[in-house]
Amino acid sequence: MDVQRWQAAAVPWWVTKVGLVGGWVVAFYFALSGSGAPCTVAQPCEPNPFFSIAMVPWLATPLLLLLGRVLTGCAMGVAFGVLDIVFDPSAPTNVPFGLYAVACAIVAAWTIRSRADQHAAAGDALVSLPDMPPQRGVLRIVAVLLVVFGFLTFVQYDLRNDEVAQHVANASRVDAEVVEVKDTYDVWVELPGRRRIELHPLAPEEYQVGDKVPMLEDGAWVQMVSEPEDFTWWLALGGAAVFLAILLAARERRRRALWTGPVKAVRLQAHPVGQRRILLRHNKDDIATITTFADLGLEEPLYHDTEQFGRVWRGEEDPPVRLEPAEILVAGEWHHGGQVALLVEGEVVATSTLSRVRPRHTVHSAHLPGEPVTAGTPVELPHAMWPGDRRRTEGVLLLLGAAGALIVLKQYPDLFVVGLIGVQCVLAAVTRFQPLLRFDHRSVVLYTGIWTYRVPWAQLHGVRRAGPQLMLAFGPHGDVITTPHLPDRQAGEKLMWARARSLIADHPGERVGRKLNISVLVGIAYVGLILFI
């Protein structure tokens, strides 16, 4: 295997997860700002069933790209751009969607060429997988249930369509008067007979108290003439369910296709790096990571107990002699995102997807990262280490992004993808206004994106420095957390000094505590704003 060529052939991760996802947001913004045609009685805003279904691939595009389904995500972006140009006569929307489709097509072509180069660089060895492909599992059942759900939503749309058509046929046309505009979004009108109802028009700023609004009335049923009731969201929901079922079926088909003929195979070293995650290495070069649903038992523990691991982690004892890592045969689609089968002693033990190696994929149990930090800098307790100005600036920008997402959702409530982006912005912003570490005489508190850990000093094994970051090992299982960039260069020495001082006083029986970070609660509150405002 030509490792350097294989790695160089890959499309950089930021091209899709930053470039295309950011381009999607920009294209959507310009399309919305350029499509402001008002709804009038002469030209009402009729619901468009075709557009609702076509929005499914458009909204799925950023999610697929973020999940690593590059070709599928690019195909959806291209498909929507072509559909918009063909069926939408509005030039302000054609331009951003068309340009985005071109960008997706370029990245898709680049990805196809990249995968071909990676496949060629993986060598010439071919194998045929033994036995038969695994039985179709729960994904098949989920796909069938999604198809059934999609069918039911289509039926519901048809029933609602017939119901509204019957009301329209029996309705009489009346003029309602605007009597109140609340919060700039809710418009209250009064019908003949002094009956008041609340409307949510697409452009509430166009309405003033005293304006006349043509309405259709059939008993208790009322509808604006210029904005007929839109329930095509049933079609979008059903289309999303069917689309997800197709994705699951396609993934299952790719997995089972590994047994249809000879496939490319490479023998690699396997290093467990976490729960059900394995790092694949070739001659000390990191290649990829894979995730399995079960522990394959590929590596024997290096340490006799937690105390020995702590001494080695702190540099007080030489690491034990490393055992030769287990080797497995990885066969299948030899590129990032490819489906592969894992063979041990000639038997397929699992199937997985080749994923990129991330900095967090550290094999701390085999080759210790960084350098141990010793006690050296006294500090007044309690003490907190706060993020620098750069992370605070990032937090402000993320909060602005979350606020912008709320504004967009208020105008266009069907764009749930924008809501997901807003939630991510809120979660990331809160962590940038929290202390990175906080410690006192009894424990150190570690703040992560989801969890907040309280680690008694007796449970902290030590600190190792890897560049501007610190790696803290703690707990009975030697869990490791890597901090963000710490502006205080003496942070590790301060931590170890506080640990050494606190260990003088014995605090037996204390355990590592874990609770949800406040960012999760803020994220839930943000979701509440999306749903109820």
Side-chain angles (χ1 to χ4, degrees):
M1 180 180 183
D2 189 341
V3 175
Q4 292 183 350
R5 179 185 169 195
W6 192 86
Q7 293 174 335
V11 176
W13 66 270
W14 55 264
V15 171
T16 54
K17 294 191 175 183
V18 177
L20 285 186
V21 173
W24 183 92
V25 175
V26 172
F28 202 82
Y29 171 79
F30 281 104
L32 291 180
S33 61
S35 58
C39 304
T40 63
V41 177
Q43 293 183 338
C45 296
E46 296 284 351
N48 190 334
F50 176 79
F51 180 77
S52 296
I53 296 179
M55 283 297 292
V56 172
W58 175 249
L59 296 177
T61 298
L63 295 179
L64 291 168
L65 294 173
L66 290 173
L67 293 175
R69 303 295 295 271
V70 178
L71 288 182
T72 307
C74 288
M76 295 303 100
V78 172
F80 184 84
V82 172
L83 292 174
D84 186 80
I85 293 174
V86 172
F87 294 101
D88 188 354
S90 174
T93 60
N94 292 160
V95 172
F97 290 149
L99 291 176
Y100 186 78
V102 172
C104 285
I106 293 174
V107 174
W110 185 5
T111 301
I112 293 173
R113 177 57 185 270
S114 166
R115 292 184 174 184
D117 290 343
Q118 285 188 305
H119 189 78
D124 300 323
L126 298 175
V127 299
S128 294
L129 300 185
D131 304 323
M132 297 294 292
Q135 296 291 329
R136 292 183 173 90
V138 68
L139 289 183
R140 185 182 185 183
I141 300 175
V142 173
V144 172
L145 292 177
L146 287 172
V147 172
V148 172
F149 176 78
F151 173 76
L152 293 177
T153 58
F154 295 148
V155 172
Q156 177 67 17
Y157 168 77
D158 190 59
L159 293 176
R160 293 286 291 132
N161 193 35
D162 292 342
E163 179 184 349
V164 171
Q166 186 66 32
H167 280 302
V168 171
N170 299 331
S172 57
R173 181 164 174 167
V174 298
D175 286 334
E177 181 180 354
V178 177
V179 293
E180 187 178 4
V181 179
K182 284 186 177 180
D183 302 326
T184 318
Y185 298 111
D186 303 329
V187 178
W188 286 82
V189 299
E190 185 175 278
L191 296 165
R194 308 193 62 81
R195 174 187 169 194
R196 291 191 176 189
I197 62 171
E198 182 182 6
L199 303 177
H200 301 283
L202 297 177
E205 66 276 2
E206 300 291 334
Y207 294 84
Q208 303 293 332
V209 175
D211 290 349
K212 297 296 182 180
V213 181
M215 307 286 292
L216 292 177
E217 183 179 19
D218 180 25
W221 180 87
V222 180
Q223 175 181 278
M224 297 176 64
V225 175
S226 60
E227 296 184 27
E229 184 179 359
D230 186 0
F231 42 85
T232 56
W233 61 271
W234 282 107
L235 294 177
L237 183 61
V242 174
F243 180 73
L244 181 57
I246 293 174
L247 290 181
L248 294 177
R251 181 181 179 183
E252 179 70 10
R253 182 180 179 86
R254 285 178 59 196
R255 184 172 70 104
R256 296 177 66 85
L258 298 176
W259 276 263
T260 59
V263 289
K264 185 68 64 70
V266 180
R267 186 169 296 278
L268 301 173
Q269 298 171 344
H271 299 269
V273 292
Q275 190 174 13
R276 298 184 298 276
R277 184 180 293 276
I278 296 173
L279 173 67
L280 301 177
R281 310 192 83 208
H282 183 278
N283 294 335
K284 299 183 179 181
D285 291 316
D286 295 342
I287 300 298
T289 60
I290 53 177
T291 302
T292 61
F293 290 105
D295 184 6
L296 303 182
L298 298 176
E299 186 177 60
E300 295 293 332
L302 288 175
Y303 305 99
H304 299 299
D305 49 36
T306 305
E307 287 74 15
Q308 183 191 17
F309 170 74
R311 292 192 299 270
V312 174
W313 183 265
R314 293 189 295 273
E316 299 171 358
E317 180 180 317
D318 291 334
V321 177
R322 290 182 54 187
L323 302 175
E324 287 296 326
E327 287 193 350
I328 61 175
L329 193 64
V330 183
E333 301 172 339
W334 252 98
H335 54 74
H336 286 139
Q339 290 291 310
V340 294
L342 312 180
L343 289 85
V344 177
E345 297 181 354
E347 294 185 3
V348 177
V349 294
T351 57
S352 186
T353 304
L354 282 183
S355 302
R356 296 177 183 271
V357 178
R358 300 283 187 246
R360 65 177 181 272
H361 299 152
T362 305
V363 195
H364 61 80
S365 61
H367 53 83
L368 298 175
E371 297 293 334
V373 177
T374 58
T377 304
V379 63
E380 183 178 352
L381 299 178
H383 183 75
M385 297 182 183
W386 293 87
D389 294 337
R390 177 181 176 181
R391 285 182 64 83
R392 292 194 183 95
T393 302
E394 292 174 354
V396 172
L397 295 177
L398 288 167
L399 286 177
L400 292 176
L406 274 180
I407 296 173
V408 172
L409 280 174
K410 189 63 180 179
Q411 296 291 335
Y412 306 95
D414 294 336
L415 303 181
F416 64 92
V417 174
V418 177
L420 295 177
I421 295 174
V423 172
Q424 291 288 337
C425 289
V426 166
L427 294 176
V430 172
T431 60
R432 282 160 172 77
F433 293 107
Q434 286 182 310
L436 301 173
L437 295 171
R438 188 191 298 274
F439 50 93
D440 53 25
H441 294 87
R442 300 181 66 91
S443 63
V444 56
V445 179
L446 313 174
Y447 295 90
T448 66
I450 301 297
W451 300 103
T452 298
Y453 294 88
R454 179 188 172 275
V455 182
W457 290 114
Q459 293 284 346
L460 181 69
H461 303 303
V463 178
R464 298 180 75 91
R465 178 180 288 111
Q469 298 174 305
L470 296 180
M471 308 186 76
L472 284 67
F474 63 93
H477 303 293
D479 297 324
V480 176
I481 285 183
T482 302
T483 69
H485 179 95
L486 293 174
D488 187 351
R489 295 181 179 274
Q490 299 297 317
E493 285 77 4
K494 292 178 180 179
L495 267 174
M496 292 302 291
W497 179 87
R499 176 183 180 274
R501 174 177 176 176
S502 299
L503 288 180
I504 297 175
D506 189 19
H507 303 289
E510 290 190 288
R511 299 181 179 180
V512 175
R514 187 182 74 168
K515 63 180 181 180
L516 288 174
N517 196 330
I518 192 174
S519 62
V520 177
L521 302 179
V522 175
I524 294 174
Y526 183 83
V527 173
L529 289 176
I530 293 175
L531 296 177
F532 300 111
I533 289 186

